[in-house]
């Protein structure tokens, strides 16, 4: 486990848990330049602590896989060093700070024959998995991801911190190139964009509206989409899905006040998304199979996120946002 801040510690916790559950995995150690923090996490999860990747790889050649949860600006250096040491990597989102760095990670994985997965956690949310079989031709999305302010991840804008989760999900659901981006964002409590609203239009004609905030008074994580004769509501937090369909004669669903509308609730199996994500990553490592969320997937979400930030910047210049913010 490379980097044991708040989220890195959770990775260590789940790796330790998977070992206790009988999966063929052993948490060898945690790496963090803050050695006191590394020591604390290592004691908590019965492994060794290291101050650098070099210390880990020089003394433990048996390491086969690692999660990278260092600041985004260090993803390339850390993941490349691990891959060159023969270690498969799961890199937290966003994949990198630029498309050039993302491309370098992809090339390194291909050249070295390493598995690289990106930590787009919501792909493993039971609600997202339950919604996949329902998708036909989504034409409109409304997505909200609101969070209370914390000092975590303030090195990146809210688009790269929070919205990128939903960008990845919608891109995977729509599977069509983005044609147009309109976006507005504001710094509120940090020097970066803390709240953003985005409208994407795809070549397919689908339109998606996103709102992401890390300065909200409540926590909301919902995605809703409309497709011919159906409305689908997905709650990431509750891990459930509701499907409203017009017509049909399925009497097995939830009773509706309108007999022309059937309401179904696809079955979900409750599981911590991080648990499902790390288990999937380890299975890819063991089987040498493609990961569920590839480096290319991470690059695609990053490309759209960076285009959104460029659109936000352009909008800010048009309205002279710097003067208004001052």
């Amino acid at each position: 486990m490379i980097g044991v801040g708040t989220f890195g510690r959770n990775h260590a916790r789940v790796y330790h848990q998977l070992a206790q559950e009988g999966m063929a995995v052993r948490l060898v150690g945690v790496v963090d330049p803050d050695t006191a923090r590394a020591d604390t996490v290592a004691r908590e999860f019965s492994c060794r602590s290291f101050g650098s990747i070099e210390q880990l790889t020089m003394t433990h050649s048996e390491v086969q896989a690692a999660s990278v949860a260092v600041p985004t600006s260090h993803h390339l250096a850390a993941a490349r060093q691990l891959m060159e040491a023969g270690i498969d990597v799961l890199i937290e989102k966003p994949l990198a700070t630029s498309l050039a760095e993302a491309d370098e990670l992809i090339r390194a994985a291909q050249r070295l024959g390493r598995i690289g997965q990106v930590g787009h956690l919501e792909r493993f949310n039971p609600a997202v998995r339950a919604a996949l079989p329902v998708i036909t031709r989504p034409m409109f999305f409304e997505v909200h991801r609101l969070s209370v302010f914390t000092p975590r991840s303030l090195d990146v804008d809210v688009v790269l911190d929070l919205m990128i989760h939903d960008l990845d999900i919608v891109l995977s659901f729509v599977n069509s190139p983005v044609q147009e981006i309109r976006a507005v964002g504001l710094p509120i409590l940090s020097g970066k964009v803390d709240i953003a609203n985005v409208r994407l239009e795809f070549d397919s004609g689908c339109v998606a509206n996103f709102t992401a905030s890390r300065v909200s008074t409540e926590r909301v994580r919902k995605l809703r989409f409309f497709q011919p004769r159906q409305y689908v509501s997905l709650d990431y937090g509750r891990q459930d899905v509701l499907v409203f369909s017009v017509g049909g004669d399925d009497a097995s669903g939830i009773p509706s006040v309108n007999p022309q509308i059937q309401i179904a609730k696809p079955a979900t199996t409750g599981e911590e998304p991080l648990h499902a994500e790390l288990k999937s990553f380890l299975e890819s490592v063991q089987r040498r199979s493609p990961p569920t969320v590839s480096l290319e997937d991470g690059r695609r979400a990053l490309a759209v996120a960076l285009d959104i930030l460029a659109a936000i910047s352009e909008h800010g210049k048009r309205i002279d946002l710097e003067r208004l913010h001052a």
Side-chain angles (χ1 to χ4, degrees):
M1 184 61 236
I2 314 301
V4 284
T6 301
F7 211 64
R9 180 197 165 276
N10 280 329
H11 277 245
R13 170 182 60 80
V14 173
Y15 281 129
H16 181 68
Q17 181 181 343
L18 288 169
Q20 291 183 318
E21 292 171 358
M23 191 170 189
V25 60
R26 178 171 64 91
L27 180 60
V28 173
V30 297
V31 176
D32 200 291
D34 184 337
T35 53
R37 181 164 60 189
D39 288 344
T40 299
V41 176
R43 283 194 301 270
E44 186 176 5
F45 300 115
S46 305
C47 63
R48 291 196 59 190
S49 65
F50 303 90
S52 68
I53 293 173
E54 289 89 349
Q55 288 181 6
L56 170 68
T57 56
M58 286 177 62
T59 58
H60 286 73
S61 59
E62 76 273 25
V63 174
Q64 295 173 284
S67 282
V68 177
V70 296
T72 307
S73 57
H74 300 309
H75 280 186
L76 174 58
R80 183 169 54 192
Q81 186 177 359
L82 291 163
M83 289 191 284
E84 287 174 347
I87 298 170
D88 298 315
V89 293
L90 185 151
I91 306 169
E92 262 308 328
K93 59 79 195 165
L95 175 59
T97 58
S98 68
L99 294 184
E101 289 185 356
D103 289 336
E104 178 57 30
L105 284 166
I106 291 169
R107 285 193 296 268
Q110 292 172 342
R111 173 172 54 88
L112 298 165
R114 304 269 47 97
I115 286 172
Q117 179 169 317
V118 184
H120 283 294
L121 189 67
E122 298 291 21
R123 288 277 197 107
F124 300 89
N125 190 301
V128 172
R129 290 179 159 182
L132 288 172
V134 177
I135 296 170
T136 56
R137 190 185 175 194
M139 296 305 298
F140 177 64
F141 286 83
E142 192 72 43
V143 189
H144 290 86
R145 185 172 292 265
L146 314 178
S147 177
V148 296
F149 185 80
T150 70
R152 181 192 64 81
S153 296
L154 296 185
D155 60 321
V156 294
D157 297 271
V158 71
V159 174
L160 291 171
D161 180 21
L162 298 182
M163 187 184 290
I164 198 165
H165 282 298
D166 303 301
L167 294 173
D168 174 65
I169 295 298
V170 172
L171 288 169
S172 67
F173 280 11
V174 177
N175 196 27
S176 175
V178 175
Q179 183 186 87
E180 183 184 40
I181 297 174
R182 298 181 68 86
V184 60
L186 295 169
I188 305 295
L189 297 178
S190 77
K192 301 282 188 177
V193 172
D194 292 315
I195 185 168
N197 180 262
V198 176
R199 180 186 184 275
L200 300 185
E201 183 168 348
F202 297 85
D203 283 355
S204 66
C206 177
V207 170
N209 290 328
F210 301 82
T211 299
S213 170
R214 56 187 180 193
V215 289
S216 177
T217 57
E218 58 182 337
R219 182 177 170 86
V220 177
R221 293 182 293 154
K222 292 185 177 180
L223 178 149
R224 287 157 282 203
F225 67 91
F226 299 81
Q227 55 192 11
R229 305 181 73 82
Q230 278 190 329
Y231 159 54
V232 181
S233 177
L234 185 159
D235 191 306
Y236 293 109
R238 291 205 311 259
Q239 298 187 357
D240 65 17
V241 180
L242 286 176
V243 181
F244 300 80
S245 303
V246 177
D249 53 5
D250 182 8
S252 63
I254 300 171
S256 169
V257 294
N258 187 335
Q260 292 182 311
I261 299 176
Q262 282 74 50
I263 306 175
K265 188 173 183 179
T268 58
T269 301
E271 183 178 12
E272 181 185 0
L274 183 60
H275 183 278
E277 178 184 63
L278 297 189
K279 186 167 64 175
S280 175
F281 170 56
L282 293 173
E283 287 171 351
S284 291
V285 170
Q286 291 164 350
R287 298 171 183 171
R288 311 312 299 166
S289 58
T292 300
V293 187
S294 66
L295 297 184
E296 289 80 5
D297 290 337
R299 185 198 189 279
R300 179 176 64 173
L302 176 64
V304 175
L306 292 176
D307 284 345
I308 288 170
L309 289 175
I312 288 174
S313 177
E314 182 59 32
H315 178 267
K317 290 176 184 175
R318 287 203 310 273
I319 64 172
D320 198 7
L321 183 60
E322 286 191 8
R323 180 180 62 82
L324 292 173
H325 188 58

